[in-house]
Structures are given as structure tokens and as C-alpha cells.
Amino acid sequence: MTSYSCCLILLLFTWNTAAYGPNQRAQKKGDIILGGLFPIHFGVAAKDQDLKSRPESVECIRYNFRGFRWLQAMIFAIEEINSSPTLLPNMTLGYRIFDTCNTVSKALEATLSFVAQNKIDSLNLDEFCNCSEHIPSTIAVVGATGSGISTAVANLLGLFYIPQVSYASSSRLLSNKNQFKSFLRTIPNDEHQATAMADIIEYFRWNWVGTIAADDDYGRPGIEKFREEAEERDICIDFSELISQYSDEEEIQQVVEVIQNSTARVIVVFSSGPDLEPLIREIVRRNITGKIWLASEAWASSSLIAMPEFFRVIGSTIGFALKAGQIPGFREFLQKVHPKKSSNNGFAKEFWEETFNCYLPDGSKNSPASTSFHKGHEEGLGAGNGTSAFRPPCTGDENITSVETPYMDYTHLRISYNVYLAVYSIAHALQDIYTCTPGKGLFTNGSCADIKKVEAWQVLKHLRHLNFTNNMGEQVDFDEFGDLVGNYSIINWHLSPEDGSVVFEEVGHYNVYAKKGERLFINENKILWGGFSKEVPFSNCSRDCLPGTRKGIIEGEPTCCFECVDCPDGEYSDETDASACDKCPEDYWSNENHTSCIPKQIEFLAWTEPFGIALTLFAVLGIFLTSFVLGVFTKFRNTPIVKATNRELSYLLLFSLLCCFSSSLFFIGEPQNWTCRLRQPAFGISFVLCISCILVKTNRVLLVFEAKIPTSLHRKWWGLNLQFLLVFLCTFVQIVICVIWLYTAPPSSYRNHELEDEIIFITCHEGSLMALGFLIGYTCLLAAICFFFAFKSRKLPENFNEAKFITFSMLIFFIVWISFIPAYASTYGKFVSAVEVIAILAASFGLLACIFFNKVYIILFKPSRNTIEEVRCSTAAHAFKVAARATLRRSNVSRKRSNSLGGSTGSTPSSSISSKSNHEDPFPLPACAERQRQQQRGCKQKVSFGSGTVTLSLSFEEPQKNAMANRNTKRRNSLEAQNSDDSLMRHRALLPLQ
């Protein structure tokens, strides 16, 4: 049974190696063998396997010069290690390298060779089979290139824990250690590359792109990560297509139609060169220009795409390239390649033929008859330069440096350096095993592996803990996912002015170690769009929204397709394409264009504005007029009129009016806390003091003329001290109201933002409207009482008759303050203060004019009326009228009493008084009346009143000749008029009080 198993495995190995002839591998013996997988060809020839005969291995076509250079980098690294005295001394590394032809099937075919050999060694069949000549097990594999291929290879190698170190597979799926246990790589994964692509689009302010991805494990995960990053940056994707090098023509046509009809100018491509080439050829055929291609590192420098004949279509390519490395001596090594000198490299012969477009006569495969092999070589750079199916023979003396091919492009060693680094990583892992000290190893109980019998899983263990410094002085260590974190160079395709070839100009870099926002650097001055333009192309669904506007959503469209909406008042945007307008700070408002915020206009009743100036002038005028009146009263203080108007109270009244006019000035100017707390109390107390003075004056005069015969008690009761006491008490109530108001809810300065959006009204917040109501209400209450007494006193003597003027002043006061209430409630801002100032001034002018202007007129312009005789005459006239009224009242009472007792209808003792036909005056006419009659014609003072049928008339119009008769008549009726004379004497007794 054991013998049977040995034969099966040998048959498997023999069949597997038979499919790869000696010329289809690069192989060299050594103590430790490393495997290699490289894409020496871009693909395989399409062949219909109808299974009518034994299936044959498919043929690889389209030679890849870069793939051969990568293979040479592995061989160079191994030979450099073998010649190193410090790294793996006394040990030789061998290699077995196969061509994957950029397909999964060929890669797995080669991988089976590695696995089968390892399986034979693990069975230990030396005692049963003659296996002494076989090659040792492959302890690690370098490769493969494409992520899709590496995924398939990693699944197979992972079963046997054979370490796989890829140099170009960047799919983020390969970081999953649960699925790919033995996979490591010397290239950064696409996680960072997709982020970098989104950063570039954001940098150029593009937001409308299309995506194309290879339909494999490289393209799909890469473009999916890009979508995630684009969504975070509000980048919209117009279309998303999948491609493959094996897509039929109809599928390619559909993708090209989508690209041609799209308004997106930026196209993000996650693909390899072979997968993208059919699409680019069709785009070139249709001459679809004006697109910006954002290339992943897998095709950014691909020789299949970077061709001069494609440049007019893809000349605006910006791509990612791995950080270039330095390999000393590699250039000379590349130049030494020769089929006769490279006996271990079975790919050298084909390389020579493709480079010089000839054939080596001893090669059966490359004979002129082998036209089928060369059929595909005429397609693209590196597939042969001949235009005929027949090639001339090679001489072997051709100069490799005389031909320009991607093989000799060693200026930027990127993938080649990754291959170099992968080989050195394995070598350093073996070095760690070689120098391992027992007790300090990585295995059980600190044991070490035997370098002479090392197994693949032991190398994998040391690779996971690898840490060394490369030839460039950089630290190399794989993270927990088997990845190396690296940076990217950003390249732009230029057309060389020398030979017309495509060159890759480095225009920036992406540092994955930097913090977010500082990773990307681009030198825009080096970028040429379309090969010649410096202007950044536009790739947005909608035109940029200018500052002062924001993006508005269009229903049914992606978020990148928007309309520009003006920012509302009070909001602004100072940047292009603002998603939302920002609100201005509380004290600011947007300017006319809504691009910035400007301080709000501040309004209050200012001293400098016309309205404020006018009110100030009126207030000053009021102060001046009041001061003038006060001066007149002071100068003429001993005249009868001044004395008769209660001189001391008049001074206090004028002082209160000065305070009223002055209090209005507190309402003008920028409100401050102290002015707000002072102005209402000042206004309220001033007016209450004014009204209190008027009230006391009016009430005193009324009581004087209606009181009985005054006594010393009356004089004391209505003395000056009591008058001032009453004024103080009335004013004290208002003071208490103000104190309570200021203590409980003091007014304060208030910046009102609510009345108008773009204006700040600085006003006074009254604190308590109820307190303000009490203040004005109490003032109006005193005014109402004053009005009542003034109205009652309206018929007093002319010189005492301030009452009718006070009545008018109170009417004006009420009209002003009743009008004030709706005006105050309906206005806002600075006009609130203006309304109150107008009310204060109107009420103050009304009081000043009605009470004092008539007296000032008499004092200044009618001094003849400002005499003691005039005052007494006026008082006497009033006394006669009161006496007559009293006499008539008693006469009526007596008549009613007589009628009730005797029913008599005879004349009463007073009938002579009421008789009008005899023309006799019942009372003597005062001398002053006669003088007044002579001095002033038409001064007719008639006092008429009636009750029933009785009428008494006192007239000063009788002829002077009747004066003596009237006096005789008065004597005859002296007894009947005694009571009336008492009333006259009572008023005359009070004259000194005036």
C-alpha cells in the first residue's frame, strides 16, 4: 500500500512538472528552495476545450517585460544573499520560479508543484523510492502579482502553512488572517489607496465621478472601500462598472456607452493593466477624450496602458505608485541577461526573442513555423516588435541596452524593490532560525528549529515576528495582518518631448503615517491635464455655489446635484459649495450678499439725530421758559398778583416744572442701567410734585372763599407749613412706589434683537410694567382730584381764578396721558422713549402755559391790574355776589315758612330787595367799582342768579347820580342785609392771606 502511495505521488509530480517544460521555469538547486510566481505573460490564448481528446495546457501569450524584470529581481536578491558572508553563511538558497500568465489556473498549476514536493518530503519515502535527486521542499513562495491570483494561491498554500510573501497583491481582503493564514506582503493594502483616491478628489473639489473595477478580488474590494470614503466626503458616483480582460465585446461596448454618456469627467479605476486594456482600446477607437483617469497602483504605470497611441485619451491620468526603492548593482545585473549565460533561467530565451524580435534557431517553440505563438505578440508593447509572422534568427550578439523596453526601465524600482524586499524578508527569517539560541526560540519551551531540516510552518512563525533593517535603513516588520505600511507616490502621465514616450512625473505623495488632513501633498504646478493644460478640469454635477448661497437639494437627484439657494437674512456662507448657511452671531447681521456678517445697526433715541435734537431743543426751551417765569415771579414777588397766587407754592410749582422738563432729557441718549433706573422715577416724582402743588393751591383758595368767618384757627390750619406738609405727603407716596419698584424689579438697559432682524434697539427694560402703571396711575389720580377742585373753583374772582386755567391744564394733562397709553403700546424701539418724551413735554408745557403765562402777561404788560385795589375790588365783587346769594336763600326759606304757618301771600321783609322796578340797589356800590367803571369802559360785572320768581341783580353800570340814593336805600335795608354783610366781611378778613 505504501509503495502504491509513493507511485501515485510521483506520478502526480511527474505530470505536474511535465506540463512545464525546462524552458518554462527558472530553477536552481540549493539547500533551501524558495518558490516564485511571476506574470511573464499577460494572459492565455482562448482555446475551446471540446474534450474530444486529452486536454492540453493553454498557451500563454503577450509577453510582459516588467514581469520578467520582477523575476530577475528575485534571482538577483537570492544570488546576493548567497554571496553574503553574514546572511545565511554556509548555506545556499535555490529557487523554482513559474509563470502565472496572469491567470488563476496557471498560478494554481504552479502552486500544486510546490505543494506536491512538500508532501513527498513529509511522507519520508527515501527508504521506498529512489528520491535522492529530487529538489528539496519549497519553504516559502514569493508572489503572486494580482490579488485575485494571490487569493487562490493563498487558499492552497494556507492548507500546508507554506508562507506566501506577495510583492504586488494589495487587496484588503487578504488581510483576513482567519482565511489567509500564511499570507504576507511587502505592499500596502488598498485600504490606504482607496482613502488616498477620495482625498485627491476632495482636494480638487470634484464631486461627480464614475468608477470602474476589475471583476476580481482586487477591483471589487478596492472600489467598495472607495465608495465608503466617497460617501463620507459627499462625493457622488454617477456610474459603477465591472470589467475583465475576458469580457466579450458586447460587454465592453456597454461600458464604453456608459462612459461616453456620463457627465462625470473623473473616472476612478481599480484594475490591473490586462483587465483594463480592452476597455481603453475601445475608448481610443471611439476617441472619447476629456476624461480624467484616477489610476490605482496596479495599472498606473502599466506598459499595456501607458502607450503613446493611447495618450490623447488617457493623458490626464493621475495615479498611485509605490514608493521607489534602490537596489545597488541591479542595473548591471539586468544588462547581463543572455540566453547562453542564463542556463538556470528558462525564460531568458523567450525574453531575448521578444526584445530583439528574432528567434533562436535551437528553440523548437520559437521557430519560424511557430506562427501561432507569435500571433498574439504583435498586440501591444512588449509583445514583439516585428510586424511579420516570420522573424529573423538571433545572432546572440545583440546589445540589450540598444533597445528600449520596460525591462530596462530601472529609474523607479517599485514592484521590483518589493520583490527584492520579499526575498530578504524570507532570508532574515531563515537567519533568525540559523542564529536561534536554544531556550530563546519561538517554539515550545523556547526551542529552535533546525535550519538543515527547516519546515515551512517554522519559517512562517519567524516571518510573523520578523524585524530587520533593509538596505535603505528602513525598519521592516509585518503587522498582525501580515502587511507592511508604506507610502504612495502620486504620478501624472506626461508625453516625453524627446522620444514621444509616456513618462511618469511624480507630482506629490501620500503619507499614511501622517495625521488625517495632512497626508496628501500635491504640487499642482507639475500637473499637466491632457498633456498640456494647467487648468484643473471641472467634474461636478452642478456648478459651484458661490459664497452667499448654499446647496439646495433637487428631488430625485443625488446629493451632488443641487441648486444654489441664497442664504436667508441673518445667515451667511463665506465658502464655495456650502452645504448650509451659518447663522450670524447675535449682534451681527448678514451683509447684502450674505457672504459675511456685519455688526447690526444699533438704534436708540440719540442726541445727534434730528428727532433727538428737536426733543432736546423743546426740553431746553421748557427749562428756559420756566426759569424765565421763575425769574419774573422772584423779581415781582411783592406784587399783589404774585402774593395772591400763593408765592411760596408757586416757586415750588415752578421748580417741579423744571424737574419735569429736565426729566425728559434722561430719555434721550444711549440707555444705560443708571439712566433707565433714574428716568421713570424722576419723571413720576417731578409730575407728582407739580400736581401736588396745584392741588394744594386750588383746594386752599376754594376753602378760603367758601369758609365761614375765618378765625385764627383757620389761619393756622391753612398756614404755609401745612401746605408744604400736604405737598410732601402726596409726593412721598410716589417716592415709596419708586423705591419699591427699584428694589424689587429695577429697570435696566436691554438690547432688543427681536423687533427687527438687522437692528439692535437699545431700550430700557422697565422691570415691572405694573410698577410703571402704579406710577402713572397715581399721578393721574392726583390730577383727577386737582381737576375736580379746579372745576369747582372756576367762578372765583378773576385774580384768584387760577382754577379755570388749572382746569384747562388738567384737561391737557389727561388728553396727553390718555393718548400716551395706546401710543406707548403700539410703538417699539427708540420711538417708545420718544413718545414718552413728547408726553412729558406736552404735559409740562400745558401746565406752564395755562397756570403762569396769563399772570406773567399781566405782570409785564398790564401793570395797572397788578394793584391792591384791583385785587380787593375783585374780591369785593365776589363778596357781594355771595351775600346776595345768601340773602335770597334766607328769603326763600322765610317765605316757605310763612306760607306753611298762615297761608299768607303778602310781601315779606325782603320784598324790597327783590323788587326791580324801583331801580334801587340793595347794597352800596364799592368805590373801586366806580373807579373801575370809569377806567375801563365795557367792564360790566353782572352777577345774575335766580330761584323761582326771585331775582337779584348787582350791576356796576348805574349812573353816578344814583350812588347816594343807593346808599340811603342800603341804610334802610341794613337790618335785612345784616347777614349778607357778615359774608362780605368774612372774605375781607381773609385778604391778608392772599
Side-chain angles (χ1 to χ4, degrees), residues 596-636:
S596 63
C597 290
I598 57 177
K600 286 184 178 180
Q601 181 181 349
I602 297 178
E603 282 200 3
F604 52 85
L605 189 59
W607 299 99
T608 55
E609 66 176 286
F611 200 24
I613 294 173
L615 293 177
T616 303
L617 290 177
F618 276 107
V620 172
L621 177 62
I623 294 172
F624 172 77
L625 291 176
T626 306
S627 301
F628 175 75
V629 173
L630 182 59
V632 171
F633 267 56
T634 303
K635 182 176 180 180
F636 298 93

Side-chain angles (χ1 to χ4, degrees), residues 314-334:
I314 57 174
S316 295
T317 298
I318 291 182
F320 290 88
L322 301 175
K323 184 179 179 181
Q326 298 177 1
I327 306 177
F330 186 52
R331 176 181 180 179
E332 292 75 13
F333 179 79
L334 292 177

Side-chain angles (χ1 to χ4, degrees), residues 170-172 175 185 187-193 483-484 488:
S170 56
S171 173
R172 60 186 182 132
S175 296
R185 52 186 163 190
I187 183 174
N189 68 41
D190 292 331
E191 189 93 9
H192 301 294
Q193 187 175 189
D483 301 333
L484 287 182
Y488 292 99

Side-chain angles (χ1 to χ4, degrees), residues 739-950:
V739 170
I740 295 174
W741 181 8
L742 294 177
Y743 180 76
T744 57
S748 60
S749 177
Y750 171 63
R751 300 171 74 89
N752 194 328
H753 300 265
E754 300 174 357
L755 297 177
E756 290 189 18
D757 293 329
E758 56 189 21
I759 300 176
I760 299 176
F761 291 100
I762 303 181
T763 59
C764 285
H765 187 272
E766 302 301 348
S768 172
L769 290 178
M770 182 180 294
L772 180 61
F774 274 118
L775 184 142
I776 297 177
Y778 178 68
T779 306
C780 292
L781 175 63
L782 290 181
I785 298 173
C786 186
F787 176 79
F788 171 76
F789 286 120
F791 182 79
K792 192 173 180 181
S793 307
R794 69 189 182 280
K795 295 183 180 180
L796 290 179
E798 181 180 357
N799 293 68
F800 290 93
N801 202 4
E802 291 180 303
K804 67 179 179 181
F805 296 109
I806 292 173
T807 302
F808 286 128
S809 67
M810 290 300 104
L811 284 175
I812 294 173
F813 184 88
F814 280 121
I815 292 171
V816 168
W817 289 107
I818 290 173
S819 303
F820 165 77
I821 294 173
Y824 186 88
S826 60
T827 54
Y828 62 89
K830 65 180 180 181
F831 299 106
V832 174
S833 298
V835 166
E836 194 161 356
V837 172
I838 293 172
I840 292 172
L841 293 178
S844 301
F845 275 113
L847 293 173
L848 179 64
C850 291
I851 297 175
F852 291 101
F853 281 4
N854 181 53
K855 296 177 177 57
V856 172
Y857 174 77
I858 293 174
I859 293 172
L860 297 179
F861 302 105
K862 297 291 182 179
S864 60
R865 297 177 59 185
N866 188 14
T867 61
I868 189 65
E869 289 80 4
E870 285 291 324
V871 175
R872 287 180 177 177
C873 178
S874 195
T875 305
H878 180 72
F880 275 104
K881 184 169 62 176
V882 173
R885 187 184 295 115
T887 301
L888 181 61
R889 186 166 53 251
R890 282 193 299 273
S891 176
N892 290 336
V893 172
S894 298
R895 186 184 303 113
K896 291 178 181 179
R897 188 177 299 168
S898 299
N899 291 335
S900 62
L901 291 176
S904 175
T905 60
S907 299
T908 64
S910 61
S911 61
S912 61
I913 299 175
S914 60
S915 176
K916 191 175 180 181
S917 61
N918 57 12
H919 301 284
E920 293 181 351
D921 193 356
F923 298 102
L925 183 66
C928 64
E930 178 63 21
R931 289 195 303 271
Q932 184 179 12
R933 184 182 67 79
Q934 295 175 357
Q935 294 173 359
Q936 183 178 0
R937 184 183 180 186
C939 179
K940 300 177 181 179
Q941 298 186 12
K942 290 185 177 181
V943 182
S944 300
F945 49 91
S947 176
T949 60
V950 180

Side-chain angles (χ1 to χ4, degrees), residues 66 75 118 131 240 245 272 284 325 339 379 477 526 601 606 658 705 712 717 761 779 798 824 856 898 929 957 992:
R66 293 179 70 209
I75 295 175
N118 284 24
C131 301
S240 186
Q245 61 176 318
S272 63
V284 171
E379 302 176 9
D477 59 328
K526 291 185 176 182
Q601 181 181 349
L658 281 174
F705 278 95
S712 60
W717 182 253
F761 291 100
T779 306
E798 181 180 357
Y824 186 88
V856 172
S898 299
E957 295 180 350

Side-chain angles (χ1 to χ4, degrees), residues 669-711:
E670 182 176 354
Q672 305 291 337
N673 286 336
W674 68 272
T675 57
C676 290
R677 292 168 185 171
L678 182 61
R679 66 182 193 172
Q680 297 291 7
F683 141 72
I685 294 172
S686 299
F687 266 95
V688 165
L689 179 61
C690 180
I691 301 299
S692 299
C693 292
I694 297 173
L695 176 61
V696 170
K697 285 184 62 176
T698 306
N699 191 38
R700 176 181 175 277
V701 171
L702 180 64
L703 291 178
V704 163
F705 278 95
E706 292 191 352
K708 296 179 180 181
I709 296 177
T711 63

Side-chain angles (χ1 to χ4, degrees), residues 545-612:
C545 288
L546 300 176
T549 62
R550 65 171 177 84
K551 295 187 289 187
I553 298 175
I554 301 177
E555 188 175 354
E557 295 290 337
T559 57
C560 298
C561 301
F562 49 82
E563 58 183 353
C564 297
V565 180
D566 291 335
C567 291
D569 291 338
E571 298 183 9
Y572 75 100
S573 66
D574 56 358
E575 59 183 11
T576 304
D577 275 348
S579 299
C581 298
D582 299 320
K583 285 189 176 182
C584 290
E586 187 178 27
D587 292 344
Y588 289 80
W589 192 251
S590 56
N591 61 1
E592 184 178 356
N593 297 325
H594 300 280
T595 55
S596 63
C597 290
I598 57 177
K600 286 184 178 180
Q601 181 181 349
I602 297 178
E603 282 200 3
F604 52 85
L605 189 59
W607 299 99
T608 55
E609 66 176 286
F611 200 24

